[in-house]
Amino acid sequence: MAGYTIPGIVVLFFWVVVVILAIILLAFIVHWAGGGALNLRLGHFFLNVGFS
């Protein structure tokens, strides 16, 4: 294995897959827990997000 390096595009693809799987897992956990709601107020800015 001496002198062998993994191409950067392979490493990038691996991390993209890991991030996508992490997002899917987080979404599944939130869905299983019953969903959630985000109510954010910053001055005159209001953000209301609900998901299940």
Side-chain angles (χ1 to χ4, degrees), residues 2-25:
Y4 178 75
T5 59
I6 299 173
I9 191 71
V10 174
V11 174
L12 176 66
F13 180 73
F14 171 77
W15 283 114
V16 168
V17 170
V18 168
V19 168
I20 291 172
L21 289 176
I23 291 171
I24 291 172
L25 179 63

PDB file of all heavy atoms in Angstrom, residues 2-25:
ATOM      1  N   ALA A   2       2.137   1.114   0.091  1.00  0.00           N
ATOM      2  CA  ALA A   2       3.000   2.293   0.131  1.00  0.00           C
ATOM      3  C   ALA A   2       2.903   3.042  -1.191  1.00  0.00           C
ATOM      4  O   ALA A   2       2.980   2.456  -2.264  1.00  0.00           O
ATOM      5  CB  ALA A   2       4.444   1.877   0.392  1.00  0.00           C
ATOM      6  N   GLY A   3       2.717   4.342  -1.102  1.00  0.00           N
ATOM      7  CA  GLY A   3       2.651   5.168  -2.289  1.00  0.00           C
ATOM      8  C   GLY A   3       1.286   5.208  -2.947  1.00  0.00           C
ATOM      9  O   GLY A   3       1.119   5.861  -3.963  1.00  0.00           O
ATOM     10  N   TYR A   4       0.303   4.523  -2.399  1.00  0.00           N
ATOM     11  CA  TYR A   4      -1.034   4.508  -2.982  1.00  0.00           C
ATOM     12  C   TYR A   4      -1.874   5.607  -2.342  1.00  0.00           C
ATOM     13  O   TYR A   4      -1.979   5.682  -1.127  1.00  0.00           O
ATOM     14  CB  TYR A   4      -1.699   3.150  -2.760  1.00  0.00           C
ATOM     15  CG  TYR A   4      -3.109   3.086  -3.302  1.00  0.00           C
ATOM     16  CD1 TYR A   4      -3.339   2.986  -4.662  1.00  0.00           C
ATOM     17  CD2 TYR A   4      -4.198   3.139  -2.445  1.00  0.00           C
ATOM     18  CE1 TYR A   4      -4.620   2.930  -5.172  1.00  0.00           C
ATOM     19  CE2 TYR A   4      -5.488   3.085  -2.934  1.00  0.00           C
ATOM     20  CZ  TYR A   4      -5.691   2.981  -4.305  1.00  0.00           C
ATOM     21  OH  TYR A   4      -6.966   2.930  -4.804  1.00  0.00           O
ATOM     22  N   THR A   5      -2.479   6.452  -3.151  1.00  0.00           N
ATOM     23  CA  THR A   5      -3.350   7.507  -2.637  1.00  0.00           C
ATOM     24  C   THR A   5      -4.728   7.384  -3.260  1.00  0.00           C
ATOM     25  O   THR A   5      -4.874   6.939  -4.400  1.00  0.00           O
ATOM     26  CB  THR A   5      -2.783   8.907  -2.950  1.00  0.00           C
ATOM     27  OG1 THR A   5      -2.652   9.037  -4.359  1.00  0.00           O
ATOM     28  CG2 THR A   5      -1.439   9.114  -2.293  1.00  0.00           C
ATOM     29  N   ILE A   6      -5.722   7.775  -2.504  1.00  0.00           N
ATOM     30  CA  ILE A   6      -7.103   7.737  -2.987  1.00  0.00           C
ATOM     31  C   ILE A   6      -7.378   9.044  -3.725  1.00  0.00           C
ATOM     32  O   ILE A   6      -7.105  10.118  -3.195  1.00  0.00           O
ATOM     33  CB  ILE A   6      -8.070   7.568  -1.798  1.00  0.00           C
ATOM     34  CG1 ILE A   6      -7.782   6.259  -1.058  1.00  0.00           C
ATOM     35  CG2 ILE A   6      -9.514   7.599  -2.285  1.00  0.00           C
ATOM     36  CD1 ILE A   6      -8.572   6.094   0.215  1.00  0.00           C
ATOM     37  N   PRO A   7      -7.901   8.973  -4.927  1.00  0.00           N
ATOM     38  CA  PRO A   7      -8.195  10.200  -5.676  1.00  0.00           C
ATOM     39  C   PRO A   7      -9.182  11.100  -4.925  1.00  0.00           C
ATOM     40  O   PRO A   7     -10.091  10.615  -4.246  1.00  0.00           O
ATOM     41  CB  PRO A   7      -8.815   9.689  -6.974  1.00  0.00           C
ATOM     42  CG  PRO A   7      -8.365   8.276  -7.085  1.00  0.00           C
ATOM     43  CD  PRO A   7      -8.197   7.774  -5.693  1.00  0.00           C
ATOM     44  N   GLY A   8      -9.002  12.403  -5.062  1.00  0.00           N
ATOM     45  CA  GLY A   8      -9.831  13.360  -4.353  1.00  0.00           C
ATOM     46  C   GLY A   8     -11.300  13.255  -4.684  1.00  0.00           C
ATOM     47  O   GLY A   8     -12.156  13.440  -3.819  1.00  0.00           O
ATOM     48  N   ILE A   9     -11.635  12.932  -5.937  1.00  0.00           N
ATOM     49  CA  ILE A   9     -13.041  12.822  -6.327  1.00  0.00           C
ATOM     50  C   ILE A   9     -13.716  11.660  -5.623  1.00  0.00           C
ATOM     51  O   ILE A   9     -14.908  11.726  -5.283  1.00  0.00           O
ATOM     52  CB  ILE A   9     -13.174  12.713  -7.874  1.00  0.00           C
ATOM     53  CG1 ILE A   9     -14.622  12.875  -8.313  1.00  0.00           C
ATOM     54  CG2 ILE A   9     -12.605  11.405  -8.375  1.00  0.00           C
ATOM     55  CD1 ILE A   9     -15.150  14.279  -8.169  1.00  0.00           C
ATOM     56  N   VAL A  10     -12.984  10.595  -5.340  1.00  0.00           N
ATOM     57  CA  VAL A  10     -13.538   9.445  -4.624  1.00  0.00           C
ATOM     58  C   VAL A  10     -13.822   9.829  -3.181  1.00  0.00           C
ATOM     59  O   VAL A  10     -14.875   9.490  -2.628  1.00  0.00           O
ATOM     60  CB  VAL A  10     -12.575   8.243  -4.703  1.00  0.00           C
ATOM     61  CG1 VAL A  10     -13.069   7.095  -3.832  1.00  0.00           C
ATOM     62  CG2 VAL A  10     -12.414   7.790  -6.148  1.00  0.00           C
ATOM     63  N   VAL A  11     -12.896  10.555  -2.566  1.00  0.00           N
ATOM     64  CA  VAL A  11     -13.087  11.012  -1.189  1.00  0.00           C
ATOM     65  C   VAL A  11     -14.278  11.968  -1.113  1.00  0.00           C
ATOM     66  O   VAL A  11     -15.116  11.869  -0.213  1.00  0.00           O
ATOM     67  CB  VAL A  11     -11.803  11.689  -0.652  1.00  0.00           C
ATOM     68  CG1 VAL A  11     -12.041  12.287   0.720  1.00  0.00           C
ATOM     69  CG2 VAL A  11     -10.659  10.694  -0.620  1.00  0.00           C
ATOM     70  N   LEU A  12     -14.390  12.880  -2.072  1.00  0.00           N
ATOM     71  CA  LEU A  12     -15.513  13.812  -2.105  1.00  0.00           C
ATOM     72  C   LEU A  12     -16.832  13.056  -2.247  1.00  0.00           C
ATOM     73  O   LEU A  12     -17.798  13.344  -1.534  1.00  0.00           O
ATOM     74  CB  LEU A  12     -15.339  14.800  -3.267  1.00  0.00           C
ATOM     75  CG  LEU A  12     -16.499  15.774  -3.466  1.00  0.00           C
ATOM     76  CD1 LEU A  12     -16.607  16.727  -2.298  1.00  0.00           C
ATOM     77  CD2 LEU A  12     -16.318  16.533  -4.769  1.00  0.00           C
ATOM     78  N   PHE A  13     -16.893  12.094  -3.157  1.00  0.00           N
ATOM     79  CA  PHE A  13     -18.105  11.307  -3.355  1.00  0.00           C
ATOM     80  C   PHE A  13     -18.480  10.560  -2.081  1.00  0.00           C
ATOM     81  O   PHE A  13     -19.651  10.494  -1.707  1.00  0.00           O
ATOM     82  CB  PHE A  13     -17.914  10.325  -4.515  1.00  0.00           C
ATOM     83  CG  PHE A  13     -19.118   9.479  -4.786  1.00  0.00           C
ATOM     84  CD1 PHE A  13     -20.243  10.029  -5.375  1.00  0.00           C
ATOM     85  CD2 PHE A  13     -19.117   8.142  -4.446  1.00  0.00           C
ATOM     86  CE1 PHE A  13     -21.365   9.251  -5.626  1.00  0.00           C
ATOM     87  CE2 PHE A  13     -20.236   7.355  -4.688  1.00  0.00           C
ATOM     88  CZ  PHE A  13     -21.357   7.911  -5.280  1.00  0.00           C
ATOM     89  N   PHE A  14     -17.472   9.997  -1.392  1.00  0.00           N
ATOM     90  CA  PHE A  14     -17.719   9.284  -0.135  1.00  0.00           C
ATOM     91  C   PHE A  14     -18.359  10.211   0.888  1.00  0.00           C
ATOM     92  O   PHE A  14     -19.344   9.851   1.534  1.00  0.00           O
ATOM     93  CB  PHE A  14     -16.395   8.705   0.396  1.00  0.00           C
ATOM     94  CG  PHE A  14     -16.523   8.139   1.780  1.00  0.00           C
ATOM     95  CD1 PHE A  14     -17.106   6.903   1.981  1.00  0.00           C
ATOM     96  CD2 PHE A  14     -16.046   8.853   2.877  1.00  0.00           C
ATOM     97  CE1 PHE A  14     -17.221   6.381   3.257  1.00  0.00           C
ATOM     98  CE2 PHE A  14     -16.165   8.331   4.151  1.00  0.00           C
ATOM     99  CZ  PHE A  14     -16.748   7.100   4.342  1.00  0.00           C
ATOM    100  N   TRP A  15     -17.828  11.418   1.070  1.00  0.00           N
ATOM    101  CA  TRP A  15     -18.364  12.344   2.064  1.00  0.00           C
ATOM    102  C   TRP A  15     -19.744  12.849   1.665  1.00  0.00           C
ATOM    103  O   TRP A  15     -20.593  13.081   2.533  1.00  0.00           O
ATOM    104  CB  TRP A  15     -17.404  13.505   2.309  1.00  0.00           C
ATOM    105  CG  TRP A  15     -16.264  13.080   3.183  1.00  0.00           C
ATOM    106  CD1 TRP A  15     -14.966  13.004   2.833  1.00  0.00           C
ATOM    107  CD2 TRP A  15     -16.344  12.638   4.546  1.00  0.00           C
ATOM    108  NE1 TRP A  15     -14.224  12.545   3.900  1.00  0.00           N
ATOM    109  CE2 TRP A  15     -15.042  12.314   4.949  1.00  0.00           C
ATOM    110  CE3 TRP A  15     -17.395  12.479   5.443  1.00  0.00           C
ATOM    111  CZ2 TRP A  15     -14.771  11.849   6.244  1.00  0.00           C
ATOM    112  CZ3 TRP A  15     -17.119  12.011   6.724  1.00  0.00           C
ATOM    113  CH2 TRP A  15     -15.820  11.699   7.109  1.00  0.00           C
ATOM    114  N   VAL A  16     -20.005  13.025   0.374  1.00  0.00           N
ATOM    115  CA  VAL A  16     -21.347  13.420  -0.069  1.00  0.00           C
ATOM    116  C   VAL A  16     -22.353  12.332   0.301  1.00  0.00           C
ATOM    117  O   VAL A  16     -23.438  12.618   0.801  1.00  0.00           O
ATOM    118  CB  VAL A  16     -21.357  13.711  -1.585  1.00  0.00           C
ATOM    119  CG1 VAL A  16     -22.779  13.827  -2.117  1.00  0.00           C
ATOM    120  CG2 VAL A  16     -20.575  14.980  -1.879  1.00  0.00           C
ATOM    121  N   VAL A  17     -22.004  11.084   0.074  1.00  0.00           N
ATOM    122  CA  VAL A  17     -22.880   9.968   0.426  1.00  0.00           C
ATOM    123  C   VAL A  17     -23.099   9.923   1.932  1.00  0.00           C
ATOM    124  O   VAL A  17     -24.234   9.730   2.399  1.00  0.00           O
ATOM    125  CB  VAL A  17     -22.294   8.632  -0.097  1.00  0.00           C
ATOM    126  CG1 VAL A  17     -23.063   7.446   0.470  1.00  0.00           C
ATOM    127  CG2 VAL A  17     -22.311   8.608  -1.612  1.00  0.00           C
ATOM    128  N   VAL A  18     -22.053  10.114   2.724  1.00  0.00           N
ATOM    129  CA  VAL A  18     -22.175  10.104   4.183  1.00  0.00           C
ATOM    130  C   VAL A  18     -23.110  11.210   4.654  1.00  0.00           C
ATOM    131  O   VAL A  18     -23.974  10.994   5.508  1.00  0.00           O
ATOM    132  CB  VAL A  18     -20.786  10.223   4.849  1.00  0.00           C
ATOM    133  CG1 VAL A  18     -20.910  10.500   6.335  1.00  0.00           C
ATOM    134  CG2 VAL A  18     -19.981   8.956   4.615  1.00  0.00           C
ATOM    135  N   VAL A  19     -22.966  12.402   4.100  1.00  0.00           N
ATOM    136  CA  VAL A  19     -23.821  13.528   4.496  1.00  0.00           C
ATOM    137  C   VAL A  19     -25.273  13.263   4.123  1.00  0.00           C
ATOM    138  O   VAL A  19     -26.187  13.515   4.923  1.00  0.00           O
ATOM    139  CB  VAL A  19     -23.306  14.840   3.857  1.00  0.00           C
ATOM    140  CG1 VAL A  19     -24.322  15.953   3.998  1.00  0.00           C
ATOM    141  CG2 VAL A  19     -21.981  15.244   4.486  1.00  0.00           C
ATOM    142  N   ILE A  20     -25.510  12.733   2.934  1.00  0.00           N
ATOM    143  CA  ILE A  20     -26.887  12.425   2.519  1.00  0.00           C
ATOM    144  C   ILE A  20     -27.503  11.378   3.433  1.00  0.00           C
ATOM    145  O   ILE A  20     -28.659  11.505   3.858  1.00  0.00           O
ATOM    146  CB  ILE A  20     -26.915  11.978   1.043  1.00  0.00           C
ATOM    147  CG1 ILE A  20     -26.590  13.164   0.136  1.00  0.00           C
ATOM    148  CG2 ILE A  20     -28.259  11.362   0.680  1.00  0.00           C
ATOM    149  CD1 ILE A  20     -26.410  12.795  -1.314  1.00  0.00           C
ATOM    150  N   LEU A  21     -26.757  10.341   3.764  1.00  0.00           N
ATOM    151  CA  LEU A  21     -27.268   9.310   4.670  1.00  0.00           C
ATOM    152  C   LEU A  21     -27.545   9.876   6.056  1.00  0.00           C
ATOM    153  O   LEU A  21     -28.531   9.497   6.701  1.00  0.00           O
ATOM    154  CB  LEU A  21     -26.290   8.137   4.753  1.00  0.00           C
ATOM    155  CG  LEU A  21     -26.206   7.262   3.503  1.00  0.00           C
ATOM    156  CD1 LEU A  21     -25.135   6.194   3.678  1.00  0.00           C
ATOM    157  CD2 LEU A  21     -27.547   6.644   3.187  1.00  0.00           C
ATOM    158  N   ALA A  22     -26.697  10.791   6.537  1.00  0.00           N
ATOM    159  CA  ALA A  22     -26.916  11.411   7.837  1.00  0.00           C
ATOM    160  C   ALA A  22     -28.193  12.246   7.835  1.00  0.00           C
ATOM    161  O   ALA A  22     -28.965  12.226   8.798  1.00  0.00           O
ATOM    162  CB  ALA A  22     -25.707  12.265   8.219  1.00  0.00           C
ATOM    163  N   ILE A  23     -28.448  12.977   6.747  1.00  0.00           N
ATOM    164  CA  ILE A  23     -29.665  13.789   6.647  1.00  0.00           C
ATOM    165  C   ILE A  23     -30.897  12.891   6.620  1.00  0.00           C
ATOM    166  O   ILE A  23     -31.906  13.168   7.280  1.00  0.00           O
ATOM    167  CB  ILE A  23     -29.605  14.692   5.402  1.00  0.00           C
ATOM    168  CG1 ILE A  23     -28.538  15.774   5.601  1.00  0.00           C
ATOM    169  CG2 ILE A  23     -30.958  15.315   5.106  1.00  0.00           C
ATOM    170  CD1 ILE A  23     -28.234  16.579   4.361  1.00  0.00           C
ATOM    171  N   ILE A  24     -30.825  11.786   5.874  1.00  0.00           N
ATOM    172  CA  ILE A  24     -31.953  10.856   5.813  1.00  0.00           C
ATOM    173  C   ILE A  24     -32.210  10.239   7.178  1.00  0.00           C
ATOM    174  O   ILE A  24     -33.354  10.120   7.623  1.00  0.00           O
ATOM    175  CB  ILE A  24     -31.704   9.773   4.746  1.00  0.00           C
ATOM    176  CG1 ILE A  24     -31.747  10.393   3.355  1.00  0.00           C
ATOM    177  CG2 ILE A  24     -32.717   8.636   4.867  1.00  0.00           C
ATOM    178  CD1 ILE A  24     -31.323   9.456   2.251  1.00  0.00           C
ATOM    179  N   LEU A  25     -31.152   9.858   7.891  1.00  0.00           N
ATOM    180  CA  LEU A  25     -31.303   9.283   9.221  1.00  0.00           C
ATOM    181  C   LEU A  25     -31.911  10.288  10.190  1.00  0.00           C
ATOM    182  O   LEU A  25     -32.808   9.954  10.971  1.00  0.00           O
ATOM    183  CB  LEU A  25     -29.945   8.793   9.744  1.00  0.00           C
ATOM    184  CG  LEU A  25     -29.949   8.190  11.143  1.00  0.00           C
ATOM    185  CD1 LEU A  25     -30.827   6.935  11.162  1.00  0.00           C
ATOM    186  CD2 LEU A  25     -28.541   7.866  11.591  1.00  0.00           C
TER     187      LEU A  25
END
